[in-house]
Every structure is written in C-alpha cells, then in structure tokens.
Amino acid sequence: MATAQASEHENDYERQRMETIRQNREMLVSLNLIGQDAIDVPGAAVKRKIIVKDKRKADGSESAAGSADEWDGPKPRVRRAASAAQPARRSKRLRGESAEPITKAEEQVVETGDVSGVLADAAAHFSAPVLDAAIRVDGHYTGWVEPGVQQRLHIEDNATAAWESQGGGKFSFKDPLGTGKRLSKRAVPSGQSVAKFVASKLLKKNPNAYFYRHTEPGVEQWTGDWTEDERQVFLAVARQFGCGDKWGLFSTHIPHRVGYQCSNYYRQYVIPAGWIIDDNYRIDSAGHAIYVGKHKSRG
C-alpha cells in the first residue's frame, strides 16, 4: 500500500515537473530563444541527472564518483559577427613571431633618451686614416651661385640684392613668391607640384629655391649614380665653401644636378663613407647617417 502511494506521488510530481518544463519552453518560444517545435518534443531540453564515474583528473589522479547536471536538449544558437579578413602581416613582430632581444644600449635609450650608445660620432665610427683624410664642415654653405652660372643668368651678387631686385616683398608659405597675394593652386599647371612650380618662378629672386629643384635653363638634369668626377667636384666645393644647407646654391657648381640630389648624396653616401665629417650627423649600427642637429630648413 505504501509502495503504491509512493509511486502515485512520484507520478504526480513528474506530471507537475513536465508541466513546468512545458510552460518554461513556451516562454522561451515567446522570447524567440528556441523554436516552436521544441514544445511538443518529448524529453527535449530536459535537465537530467547523470552519474560521473571514474573521472580522471588532469594530473592523472582519480576523483570520487559524483553527479553533475547536464542539459540534454538543443542548445541555443549564438550568432557571431563575421570577422573581417585580416591583412597579411609584413613584419615578423606583427605576425606574432618572436622579436629579436633588445640590447643593453637600446634599453638605455628607452630609459634615459640618451642615444650615445646607439649612434656613434665620427671619431668612434671611422678609422684613423679615414678621419685624417676627411673634410670637416660645420653644416653650412657660405658661397653663392657658381660665378659662371651667375654671369650667364645675370643674377645679383647676394641673396638680399637678388630678392629686392625682383620686387622684394615678404616671404611666407602662403605667399612664397613675395607678391603680396596668396598663391592659388589653380595657377599650378596640371601634373606639376606646387613646390616645383614656385621654384621655377624664383630663378633671379631666390636662386637657392630655384636650383634646389631645377638645373640651369637649357641644361639636362642627370639621374642615377654619381660619377667619380662629380664626387671630386662635390668634395672640392665642400672644402672651399662648406656644406650642409643651401643645397640649391651648392648644386650650381655641379652641372646636371639639382639641390635635392646633392642633399641626398650627402646623407646617403658622403657622410657614411667618411669623406666629410659633419658633427650634425651620427652613424647608426647599420652605417646610416642620422641627423641630430637643430631641426630647421636645410634646403
């Protein structure tokens, strides 16, 4: 008798439990968390008790048998946003590969800002014979337009006279020609940069600006490697007038080359080779010239 009552009590409990599950499923359907068909599926999404036996731990030991609750129904779908395709990493560091260990010198730069352990001056980088043969400059060109070019183009004898003879005015980046009017980009021919256009208008007014981007009118500009003759002329001019700024004026001594070519040649070849010693530069561990002087226009 007692067994029958207990069985009937368990059946009532089971019916109540199933009704509660059905109501919960209806609520989940109303919230669009599960599909409508889950309501009438017998045993779907039922939480049941399972026995865990001989569960082995990660360290190899065995845990005591126990129990755990497990969800035996359909799992709700989690929508994940599609991730954008990542570009290929060019850098080893950005690809996740191990970076080279930093040196003590690099640690010092980070901690103190002192680059003396990474960048070497000429005395520390070059051998004694190279230092003895090198030309020493202070980073300034003291000459003017090459005399033959000056005479042919009827350029004044100094920068002030040249500027004033061509109308004077106040220089500014908005009015680089000194006309008193703001330069309109519409005046620049298609396909030409503003800087080169402005320079083309300053042959007699500001020769340094003109020759930085242009050769003497009628003279072809050369590109590519410098010849040994050009190297010798470059060093001769540097020995007589110095170098390091006013590259437009400097270039008038070297036919077929313009100012920015002389500037690049100086940084990429002359300084790293030790042909000229300029204290405004240091040499890094790769042998490149690094400018450490005052940041100003060196054109």
Side-chain angles (χ1 to χ4, degrees):
M1 184 68 176
T3 303
Q5 289 179 347
S7 177
E8 183 179 353
H9 176 73
E10 288 177 358
N11 290 338
D12 289 340
Y13 172 78
E14 186 66 14
R15 283 192 293 271
Q16 183 178 359
R17 188 176 71 86
M18 295 300 295
E19 176 62 21
T20 302
I21 291 174
R22 188 187 65 79
Q23 292 175 358
N24 289 340
R25 290 177 186 170
E26 288 181 346
M27 181 177 294
L28 293 174
V29 170
S30 67
L31 296 174
N32 293 324
L33 296 178
I34 62 174
Q36 178 70 33
D37 57 346
I39 295 179
D40 300 322
V41 176
V46 176
K47 198 176 186 182
R48 61 185 176 86
K49 188 77 70 176
I50 61 173
I51 303 301
V52 180
K53 294 182 179 180
D54 299 330
K55 186 174 182 181
R56 192 172 296 275
K57 294 183 179 179
D59 59 3
S61 63
E62 293 182 0
S63 63
S67 64
D69 289 332
E70 185 177 275
W71 191 256
D72 195 29
K75 296 181 180 179
R77 295 181 179 178
V78 179
R79 293 187 177 181
R80 294 178 179 152
S83 59
Q86 297 296 317
R89 300 294 191 183
R90 296 182 180 179
S91 165
K92 288 186 177 181
R93 177 180 62 81
L94 294 179
R95 288 200 303 266
E97 298 179 13
S98 299
E100 294 292 333
I102 64 173
T103 65
K104 290 293 185 182
E106 291 170 334
E107 288 182 355
Q108 181 180 1
V109 171
V110 173
E111 293 175 359
T112 67
D114 181 9
V115 299
S116 60
V118 177
L119 302 180
D121 60 15
H125 181 76
F126 296 110
S127 65
V130 172
L131 294 172
D132 291 341
I135 300 166
R136 297 182 180 271
V137 301
D138 62 1
H140 297 290
Y141 172 76
T142 60
W144 182 236
V145 179
E146 192 275 329
V149 175
Q150 179 187 0
Q151 184 177 7
R152 286 193 296 272
L153 300 178
H154 308 289
I155 296 174
E156 296 292 337
D157 291 334
N158 57 67
T160 301
W163 183 266
E164 295 299 330
S165 69
Q166 300 298 313
K170 184 177 180 180
F171 172 85
S172 71
F173 289 104
K174 293 182 179 180
D175 178 24
L177 299 177
T179 62
K181 298 179 181 180
R182 183 172 182 172
L183 177 66
S184 173
K185 291 185 178 181
R186 290 180 294 181
V188 180
S190 177
Q192 189 175 40
S193 69
V194 174
K196 192 163 187 176
F197 170 76
V198 169
S200 69
K201 303 296 182 181
L202 294 172
L203 172 58
K204 294 185 177 182
K205 189 170 187 175
N206 186 347
N208 184 53
Y210 175 87
F211 288 109
Y212 188 79
R213 299 183 185 277
H214 299 273
T215 57
E216 180 182 353
V219 175
E220 178 187 9
Q221 180 182 345
W222 289 353
T223 59
D225 295 341
W226 286 51
T227 66
E228 176 60 21
D229 287 343
E230 288 179 312
R231 185 181 81 90
Q232 293 297 338
V233 172
F234 188 107
L235 297 179
V237 176
R239 183 179 287 107
Q240 183 176 0
F241 299 107
C243 65
D245 61 3
K246 301 177 183 175
W247 288 110
L249 300 178
F250 184 98
S251 70
T252 61
H253 294 266
I254 308 174
H256 308 290
R257 301 291 183 175
V258 299
Y260 70 78
Q261 290 178 299
C262 294
S263 176
N264 291 340
Y265 183 63
Y266 187 60
R267 292 194 309 272
Q268 296 177 14
Y269 296 96
V270 175
I271 293 294
W275 299 330
I276 293 178
I277 303 301
D278 183 342
D279 287 338
N280 292 293
Y281 287 88
R282 297 289 184 269
I283 308 298
D284 68 11
S285 58
H288 300 145
I290 307 299
Y291 184 77
V292 297
K294 294 181 179 180
H295 290 280
K296 57 182 179 62
S297 174
R298 300 190 304 278

